[in-house]
Amino acid sequence: RSRGTFSGALSFDLLVYDFGRTDKRVRQAAEALSAAVQDERQAVNRVLYDLRLAFSELCRTLELHEVAKREVVQYKEHLDHTEDRYEVGTVPEYDRLKAQVDWSQSCLRETVASNNVQIARAKLNRALGLADDIEFAPRFEEARFTNRDHPDALMERARKSEPELAALRSRVRAAEFRIDE
């Protein structure tokens, strides 16, 4: 004997027509994927830009450091020459002191340039994703741009290929599909 109540149920759902919801969801997912791809392109572009900028900055600071080193040598030669002439008595003490000040200032500029090289190296290493400093001598050749396109055509090309704009367009289309759904 059993006491109590028993019940059972069986249900069956059949979607006959969803009024385009599935199609809208597929299109929405495709647009979301397109936006993600454009976000990836934008991230790659940003990393490459940072890397190129850091490399150019390192090349610039290396050149300025070389100029500063040559300046120190030149001012030291000038100081030595002025001191020799001062000892002989052909120049006043003012010229000797000015030569000393000029040489000291060139030494200071060389130190600042050396520090700027170290900072630029650190920025390049960070852009490369390196934790340690790698000693190397970069070569930088001047880039020459000979694009003869009209500026309006260049702007149109930039608008079409800019990943951030493409990602925003995809997000707008995905939102429109969400609304339609």
Side-chain angles (χ1 to χ4, degrees), residues 111-131:
T111 302
V112 168
S114 175
N115 290 341
N116 288 342
V117 167
Q118 296 305 315
I119 291 169
R121 278 192 187 280
K123 286 180 180 178
L124 179 60
N125 286 336
R126 185 183 63 198
L128 288 169
L130 301 174

Side-chain angles (χ1 to χ4, degrees), residues 17-147:
Y17 188 72
D18 68 352
F19 298 98
R21 287 183 74 190
T22 303
D23 182 51
K24 299 297 183 199
R25 286 182 181 165
V26 168
R27 290 166 86 187
Q28 179 182 348
E31 291 299 333
L33 174 64
S34 175
V37 167
Q38 296 304 328
D39 287 342
E40 179 191 23
R41 271 188 63 211
Q42 180 183 3
V44 167
N45 286 349
R46 192 168 286 133
V47 167
L48 289 175
Y49 173 77
D50 290 344
L51 183 61
R52 287 180 180 147
L53 188 66
F55 182 78
S56 298
E57 180 66 16
L58 177 60
C59 291
R60 185 183 73 81
T61 57
L62 284 171
E63 290 295 320
L64 290 174
H65 187 235
E66 288 300 315
V67 169
K69 287 194 288 190
R70 286 192 301 266
E71 186 181 62
V72 167
V73 171
Q74 288 174 349
Y75 277 115
K76 180 63 174 161
E77 289 173 357
H78 178 67
L79 175 62
D80 292 342
H81 181 69
T82 304
E83 284 186 350
D84 290 342
R85 290 178 54 203
Y86 175 75
E87 289 175 7
V88 173
T90 59
V91 295
E93 185 174 356
Y94 171 79
D95 288 347
R96 182 177 70 90
L97 292 175
K98 175 141 179 28
Q100 287 175 346
V101 168
D102 289 344
W103 176 71
S104 297
Q105 287 179 340
S106 69
C107 289
L108 177 63
R109 285 189 294 272
E110 193 273 332
T111 302
V112 168
S114 175
N115 290 341
N116 288 342
V117 167
Q118 296 305 315
I119 291 169
R121 278 192 187 280
K123 286 180 180 178
L124 179 60
N125 286 336
R126 185 183 63 198
L128 288 169
L130 301 174
D132 297 328
D133 186 23
I134 295 177
E135 287 292 325
F136 62 94
R139 292 183 332 172
F140 182 73
E141 281 126 29
E142 184 179 334
R144 293 198 170 106
F145 298 100
T146 59
N147 195 337

